[in-house]
Amino acid sequence: MNTTNDGGLSRRELIQTTGKIAVASALAGMALPQVHAGESNTINIALVGCGGRGTGAAGDALSTKLGPTKLVAVADVFPKKPGDTLKELHKDFSKQVDVPKDRQFIGFDGYKKAMDCLKQGDVVILATPPAFRWVHFTYALQKGLHVFMEKPVTVDGPSTRKMLQLADESEKRSNIKVGVGLMCRHCVVRKELFDRIKSGEIGDITLLRAYRVRGQEAKEFSRAKPDGISELLYQIERFHSFLWASGGCYSDFLIHNIDECCWMKDAWPIQAKAIGGRQYRGNYVDQNFDHYSVEYTFADGAKLMLEGRNIPDCWQEFASYAHGTKGSAVISSFGHTPAKCRTYKGQNFVKNDLVWHGPKDEPNPYRVEWNDLMDAIRNDKPYNEVRRGAQASLVTAMGRMSAHTGQVITRDQMLNCEHELAPDVDRFEMDSPAPVRAGPNGKYPVPEPGHKKKREY
């Protein structure tokens, strides 16, 4: 599935990383299971993380054409969320949802209990805030489960090193299939565009442009913590507002544009230099900038110019473009789907220069990615997107750190950065302290470009 040069680490480089010891100890002594769908033809599913993203992923899993599938367990740290998820899923999939109260788990250890309800060859969906991804994936490997994990899969250098080690471990077990929620990679029209670019239709790519400039999209704007909720749970509930939990709005929102552009270039950038700031924050106390401008550089000198903004009542664009020596291409038009990919013989996207455009009707990539994963499970095809997901997350963090520190950041600097945003995430309990604390003014620490040069806050 992965046609992109992932710039993977060598064995020697991995040995030098700090995440290896933690991951290796967690997986030590494990037998390599023969993973299969079990005696029944039904593949059971557990959902870890019952927010909107997890609910959507579960719905896509239950919609797959390569069923039957059944949801049998859920887990979250918020008592209300499992019920909300199950109520929503019952609307369309009542016969495929079998999750009684004793399989609805609450707490930071709920992920283990939910996965313990599965047999080898079943599937777990990991849809909590990204900070927890490596922790939950480690246990899924111990259980011999197939995995679908939402993006981003890492938030900083240390968690990327851990995830790359887990990628190594998972790749040794060809029977285990792992999907990552960068669904644009499964878009059939984008795939045709990629093939056309590789065949030379627009020449060599010298410039890519990507925009996600919109108003408020999710929980990236947060006010002071209300009474009645712990500091830790407040930050998890508002995860887009906290860098440790999600990489902030930059990582969570912009990774799709970054990934689809790197796919078309068939390479990962090696350097980023960026600017950004907090223009309108008022009483908001979160850690985000509200605008970012990044220049990514590839090894051959080509550039990816990325613009991100979350300010209401400004011009909006949500699209990606490629410019080559012979022509240009629209990678995505507005949002993730439909992509409406097109190629042109010049640099202006005008009708008279149109060379090719995709079909009017495009399959939903959110559903296609699940059909691809289930096809690999049913037919035991090679399928592991962890390394590519980790690389996309690392490149995303590289641009974010450049904006937040005011420094030019290379891929190697980002990978080897020692600032771990949530070092105790694998030991969280309900009464654990939060990774960041608000100051006397009620606001959380924010990036200070030029003042803090080696860490983001």
PDB file of all heavy atoms in Angstrom, residues 166-180:
ATOM      1  N   LEU A 166       7.853   0.479  17.734  1.00  0.00           N
ATOM      2  CA  LEU A 166       6.669  -0.365  17.642  1.00  0.00           C
ATOM      3  C   LEU A 166       6.373  -0.751  16.192  1.00  0.00           C
ATOM      4  O   LEU A 166       5.888  -1.855  15.919  1.00  0.00           O
ATOM      5  CB  LEU A 166       5.471   0.353  18.251  1.00  0.00           C
ATOM      6  CG  LEU A 166       5.474   0.480  19.783  1.00  0.00           C
ATOM      7  CD1 LEU A 166       4.396   1.451  20.240  1.00  0.00           C
ATOM      8  CD2 LEU A 166       5.288  -0.875  20.431  1.00  0.00           C
ATOM      9  N   ALA A 167       6.660   0.159  15.269  1.00  0.00           N
ATOM     10  CA  ALA A 167       6.508  -0.175  13.852  1.00  0.00           C
ATOM     11  C   ALA A 167       7.411  -1.353  13.497  1.00  0.00           C
ATOM     12  O   ALA A 167       6.999  -2.286  12.792  1.00  0.00           O
ATOM     13  CB  ALA A 167       6.838   1.036  12.986  1.00  0.00           C
ATOM     14  N   ASP A 168       8.648  -1.317  13.978  1.00  0.00           N
ATOM     15  CA  ASP A 168       9.560  -2.434  13.753  1.00  0.00           C
ATOM     16  C   ASP A 168       8.979  -3.743  14.274  1.00  0.00           C
ATOM     17  O   ASP A 168       8.987  -4.767  13.588  1.00  0.00           O
ATOM     18  CB  ASP A 168      10.892  -2.163  14.464  1.00  0.00           C
ATOM     19  CG  ASP A 168      11.981  -1.694  13.519  1.00  0.00           C
ATOM     20  OD1 ASP A 168      11.676  -1.410  12.358  1.00  0.00           O
ATOM     21  OD2 ASP A 168      13.141  -1.611  13.963  1.00  0.00           O
ATOM     22  N   GLU A 169       8.476  -3.698  15.509  1.00  0.00           N
ATOM     23  CA  GLU A 169       7.936  -4.901  16.122  1.00  0.00           C
ATOM     24  C   GLU A 169       6.714  -5.413  15.353  1.00  0.00           C
ATOM     25  O   GLU A 169       6.569  -6.618  15.117  1.00  0.00           O
ATOM     26  CB  GLU A 169       7.560  -4.624  17.582  1.00  0.00           C
ATOM     27  CG  GLU A 169       8.729  -4.279  18.484  1.00  0.00           C
ATOM     28  CD  GLU A 169       9.698  -5.433  18.664  1.00  0.00           C
ATOM     29  OE1 GLU A 169       9.295  -6.597  18.498  1.00  0.00           O
ATOM     30  OE2 GLU A 169      10.877  -5.167  18.964  1.00  0.00           O
ATOM     31  N   SER A 170       5.842  -4.495  14.956  1.00  0.00           N
ATOM     32  CA  SER A 170       4.628  -4.924  14.261  1.00  0.00           C
ATOM     33  C   SER A 170       4.929  -5.457  12.872  1.00  0.00           C
ATOM     34  O   SER A 170       4.238  -6.363  12.382  1.00  0.00           O
ATOM     35  CB  SER A 170       3.621  -3.766  14.187  1.00  0.00           C
ATOM     36  OG  SER A 170       4.115  -2.700  13.388  1.00  0.00           O
ATOM     37  N   GLU A 171       5.955  -4.912  12.226  1.00  0.00           N
ATOM     38  CA  GLU A 171       6.301  -5.373  10.882  1.00  0.00           C
ATOM     39  C   GLU A 171       6.882  -6.788  10.882  1.00  0.00           C
ATOM     40  O   GLU A 171       6.865  -7.467   9.850  1.00  0.00           O
ATOM     41  CB  GLU A 171       7.286  -4.390  10.245  1.00  0.00           C
ATOM     42  CG  GLU A 171       6.629  -3.072   9.840  1.00  0.00           C
ATOM     43  CD  GLU A 171       7.616  -1.961   9.541  1.00  0.00           C
ATOM     44  OE1 GLU A 171       8.849  -2.190   9.668  1.00  0.00           O
ATOM     45  OE2 GLU A 171       7.163  -0.866   9.190  1.00  0.00           O
ATOM     46  N   LYS A 172       7.388  -7.230  12.018  1.00  0.00           N
ATOM     47  CA  LYS A 172       7.883  -8.601  12.118  1.00  0.00           C
ATOM     48  C   LYS A 172       6.727  -9.599  12.087  1.00  0.00           C
ATOM     49  O   LYS A 172       6.937 -10.778  11.816  1.00  0.00           O
ATOM     50  CB  LYS A 172       8.663  -8.787  13.417  1.00  0.00           C
ATOM     51  CG  LYS A 172       9.957  -7.989  13.501  1.00  0.00           C
ATOM     52  CD  LYS A 172      10.573  -8.159  14.884  1.00  0.00           C
ATOM     53  CE  LYS A 172      11.824  -7.302  15.045  1.00  0.00           C
ATOM     54  NZ  LYS A 172      12.375  -7.389  16.424  1.00  0.00           N
ATOM     55  N   ARG A 173       5.519  -9.128  12.373  1.00  0.00           N
ATOM     56  CA  ARG A 173       4.350  -9.999  12.468  1.00  0.00           C
ATOM     57  C   ARG A 173       3.431  -9.705  11.283  1.00  0.00           C
ATOM     58  O   ARG A 173       2.494  -8.928  11.394  1.00  0.00           O
ATOM     59  CB  ARG A 173       3.635  -9.763  13.786  1.00  0.00           C
ATOM     60  CG  ARG A 173       4.597  -9.817  14.945  1.00  0.00           C
ATOM     61  CD  ARG A 173       3.961  -9.342  16.220  1.00  0.00           C
ATOM     62  NE  ARG A 173       5.000  -8.951  17.153  1.00  0.00           N
ATOM     63  CZ  ARG A 173       4.806  -8.702  18.421  1.00  0.00           C
ATOM     64  NH1 ARG A 173       3.590  -8.791  18.913  1.00  0.00           N
ATOM     65  NH2 ARG A 173       5.799  -8.353  19.197  1.00  0.00           N
ATOM     66  N   SER A 174       3.735 -10.306  10.179  1.00  0.00           N
ATOM     67  CA  SER A 174       3.004  -9.982   8.951  1.00  0.00           C
ATOM     68  C   SER A 174       1.519 -10.296   9.075  1.00  0.00           C
ATOM     69  O   SER A 174       0.707  -9.773   8.316  1.00  0.00           O
ATOM     70  CB  SER A 174       3.601 -10.748   7.767  1.00  0.00           C
ATOM     71  OG  SER A 174       3.511 -12.152   7.982  1.00  0.00           O
ATOM     72  N   ASN A 175       1.150 -11.169  10.040  1.00  0.00           N
ATOM     73  CA  ASN A 175      -0.264 -11.509  10.204  1.00  0.00           C
ATOM     74  C   ASN A 175      -1.056 -10.362  10.828  1.00  0.00           C
ATOM     75  O   ASN A 175      -2.280 -10.339  10.743  1.00  0.00           O
ATOM     76  CB  ASN A 175      -0.432 -12.729  11.112  1.00  0.00           C
ATOM     77  CG  ASN A 175       0.443 -13.888  10.711  1.00  0.00           C
ATOM     78  OD1 ASN A 175       1.346 -13.735   9.912  1.00  0.00           O
ATOM     79  ND2 ASN A 175       0.195 -15.041  11.265  1.00  0.00           N
ATOM     80  N   ILE A 176      -0.387  -9.467  11.527  1.00  0.00           N
ATOM     81  CA  ILE A 176      -1.069  -8.341  12.166  1.00  0.00           C
ATOM     82  C   ILE A 176      -1.178  -7.193  11.165  1.00  0.00           C
ATOM     83  O   ILE A 176      -0.186  -6.757  10.574  1.00  0.00           O
ATOM     84  CB  ILE A 176      -0.325  -7.891  13.434  1.00  0.00           C
ATOM     85  CG1 ILE A 176      -0.458  -8.962  14.520  1.00  0.00           C
ATOM     86  CG2 ILE A 176      -0.857  -6.560  13.941  1.00  0.00           C
ATOM     87  CD1 ILE A 176       0.230  -8.618  15.823  1.00  0.00           C
ATOM     88  N   LYS A 177      -2.383  -6.682  10.980  1.00  0.00           N
ATOM     89  CA  LYS A 177      -2.642  -5.597  10.035  1.00  0.00           C
ATOM     90  C   LYS A 177      -2.935  -4.324  10.825  1.00  0.00           C
ATOM     91  O   LYS A 177      -3.693  -4.358  11.797  1.00  0.00           O
ATOM     92  CB  LYS A 177      -3.834  -5.926   9.136  1.00  0.00           C
ATOM     93  CG  LYS A 177      -3.890  -7.375   8.649  1.00  0.00           C
ATOM     94  CD  LYS A 177      -2.643  -7.826   7.907  1.00  0.00           C
ATOM     95  CE  LYS A 177      -2.758  -9.307   7.528  1.00  0.00           C
ATOM     96  NZ  LYS A 177      -1.511  -9.820   6.908  1.00  0.00           N
ATOM     97  N   VAL A 178      -2.343  -3.225  10.375  1.00  0.00           N
ATOM     98  CA  VAL A 178      -2.498  -1.961  11.089  1.00  0.00           C
ATOM     99  C   VAL A 178      -2.815  -0.843  10.107  1.00  0.00           C
ATOM    100  O   VAL A 178      -2.045  -0.587   9.173  1.00  0.00           O
ATOM    101  CB  VAL A 178      -1.231  -1.587  11.883  1.00  0.00           C
ATOM    102  CG1 VAL A 178      -1.523  -0.378  12.777  1.00  0.00           C
ATOM    103  CG2 VAL A 178      -0.735  -2.753  12.721  1.00  0.00           C
ATOM    104  N   GLY A 179      -3.952  -0.190  10.308  1.00  0.00           N
ATOM    105  CA  GLY A 179      -4.317   0.971   9.517  1.00  0.00           C
ATOM    106  C   GLY A 179      -4.159   2.246  10.335  1.00  0.00           C
ATOM    107  O   GLY A 179      -4.321   2.240  11.554  1.00  0.00           O
ATOM    108  N   VAL A 180      -3.845   3.337   9.662  1.00  0.00           N
ATOM    109  CA  VAL A 180      -3.713   4.656  10.284  1.00  0.00           C
ATOM    110  C   VAL A 180      -4.683   5.597   9.571  1.00  0.00           C
ATOM    111  O   VAL A 180      -4.764   5.579   8.339  1.00  0.00           O
ATOM    112  CB  VAL A 180      -2.271   5.187  10.195  1.00  0.00           C
ATOM    113  CG1 VAL A 180      -2.184   6.629  10.655  1.00  0.00           C
ATOM    114  CG2 VAL A 180      -1.337   4.317  11.026  1.00  0.00           C
TER     115      VAL A 180
END
